[in-house]
Amino acid sequence: MPKSDLSKILTEFAVSPDRLTPECNLALYRDGQNTVLFDVGSGPDFMPTAGTVVDSLAAVGLAPDDITHVIFTHAHPDHIWGLLDEFDEPLFYNATYFMGRKEWDYWWNPETVQSIGEARAAFAVGAKRRMMAIEGAVELFEDGQEILPGVAALSTPGHTPGHMAFELRQGNNAALIVGDAIGNHHVAFRRPDWQSGSDQDGPLAVKSRKMLLDRLAAEHIPVIGFHLPDGGMGRVARDGSSGYQFITA
C-alpha cells in the first residue's frame, strides 16, 4: 500500500503502523428454532488472546451442545481452529456444519498445502485436520443457496478462494455477515480498492469488498464483521466519491 497515504489513514483512526490487534467477533443467530454460530473462532492454538467462544456462549446462557448449526465463512485459523475440544473431538457435537463447496474443496485438496506458500502452509494443515473431524456431518452449499430459513449464501471470494458472506432476512429485517471480506474499519473502508496482503487473491478480494460496501451503503443493511470494532455490528455509509465509513451500531 502507498506508505504516505496509508500513514494518514492509520493516524486518522489511531491505528499503530506496527501492530494491528483486531477483534474476532463470532455471530450468533437464533430464530426460535435454530441456534446458529457463524464460524467457531480459533480455539486455544492460534492466539493467546482469542479462542474464548465457550465463555462467550455461557455469558448468554448457552453451552456448545445448544448450537444446532455452524456455518463457516472460510477456513482460516481464527475461524475454524476452534472446532475441536481438548480431546480432538468436535466441540459443537450436536451441530450440523455448513461450508461453501468451493472453500471445502480448496482446503481438502492435498495440493493446497504445497501451493499456498510457506507462510500459510500451517493454515492448510490445520484446516484439513478439523475438516476431517466433521466430514460426516457437513453439508456443502453454493452461492445464492438458502442454507436455513432466512439464511442465504453470498459468494465473496478473494480473501480465500471460496469465502462466503451471508444474508440474514426475516420479514423486513435484514443483515449481512461479511466475515473477512471486509477485514478492518479503516483501510478497507477508506480505500477499498487497495489490495491487502491478508487476501490470497488481491484483485478478486477488492471486487468482493467493493460489491459488499456498495450494497451495504445503498440498501442501508446492517453489517456484522468478524474483525470490525465494538462487536462488529454497525452500518456502512459513503464517505466521498469512492470511500466509506463504518458506523458502530
Side-chain angles (χ1 to χ4, degrees):
M1 298 179 181
K3 296 300 182 184
S4 60
D5 292 337
L6 174 60
S7 178
K8 295 174 185 176
I9 295 174
L10 297 182
T11 298
E12 177 186 355
F13 286 89
V15 174
S16 167
D18 303 313
R19 185 177 183 87
L20 181 65
T21 53
E23 294 182 13
C24 294
N25 302 301
L26 304 183
L28 179 71
Y29 175 73
R30 289 182 280 186
D31 62 7
Q33 181 177 357
N34 299 313
T35 302
V36 185
L37 193 62
F38 288 85
D39 296 326
V40 295
S42 66
D45 298 329
F46 186 57
M47 293 284 182
T49 55
T52 60
V53 62
V54 174
D55 294 337
S56 297
L57 288 171
V60 293
L62 294 174
D65 61 344
D66 293 316
I67 302 300
T68 61
H69 302 83
V70 171
I71 302 176
F72 292 105
T73 61
H74 64 298
H76 273 173
D78 49 337
H79 296 256
I80 197 174
W81 280 18
L83 180 65
L84 302 178
D85 63 17
E86 62 267 32
F87 304 106
D88 274 357
E89 297 292 335
L91 177 62
F92 306 97
Y93 51 86
N94 288 334
T96 299
Y97 299 89
F98 293 90
M99 187 180 291
R101 185 178 300 276
K102 186 172 183 180
E103 185 77 358
W104 178 276
D105 289 347
Y106 176 75
W107 296 103
W108 194 261
N109 187 340
E111 299 298 322
T112 295
V113 70
Q114 303 298 330
S115 61
I116 197 172
E118 183 178 354
R120 295 185 180 183
F123 289 18
V125 173
K128 182 72 174 286
R129 184 165 78 87
R130 287 154 179 86
M131 290 161 64
M132 290 174 66
I134 60 169
E135 183 181 6
V138 69
E139 296 187 18
L140 306 181
F141 58 86
E142 309 290 347
D143 177 31
Q145 184 174 334
E146 187 175 50
I147 305 168
L148 294 170
V151 181
L154 177 62
S155 178
T156 48
H159 184 68
T160 60
H163 188 285
M164 285 283 182
F166 300 94
E167 180 178 354
L168 310 181
R169 188 171 292 276
Q170 293 288 348
N172 294 325
N173 296 317
L176 280 179
I177 294 175
V178 299
D180 284 6
I182 303 176
N184 59 64
H185 68 298
H186 38 90
V187 174
F189 282 79
R190 280 287 189 266
R191 293 302 304 262
D193 55 316
W194 284 358
Q195 294 184 36
S196 169
S198 67
D199 297 325
Q200 281 185 235
D201 185 328
L204 188 56
V206 166
K207 183 178 179 180
S208 292
R209 183 161 54 248
K210 292 174 73 172
M211 178 273 291
L212 284 170
L213 291 167
D214 282 346
R215 181 177 175 188
L216 287 161
E219 299 182 19
H220 307 288
I221 302 174
V223 61
I224 303 169
F226 193 87
H227 292 305
L228 299 182
D230 300 320
M233 301 175 71
R235 292 185 181 271
V236 175
R238 289 193 178 276
D239 188 4
S241 59
S242 60
Y244 302 82
Q245 61 176 319
F246 175 64
I247 302 171
T248 302

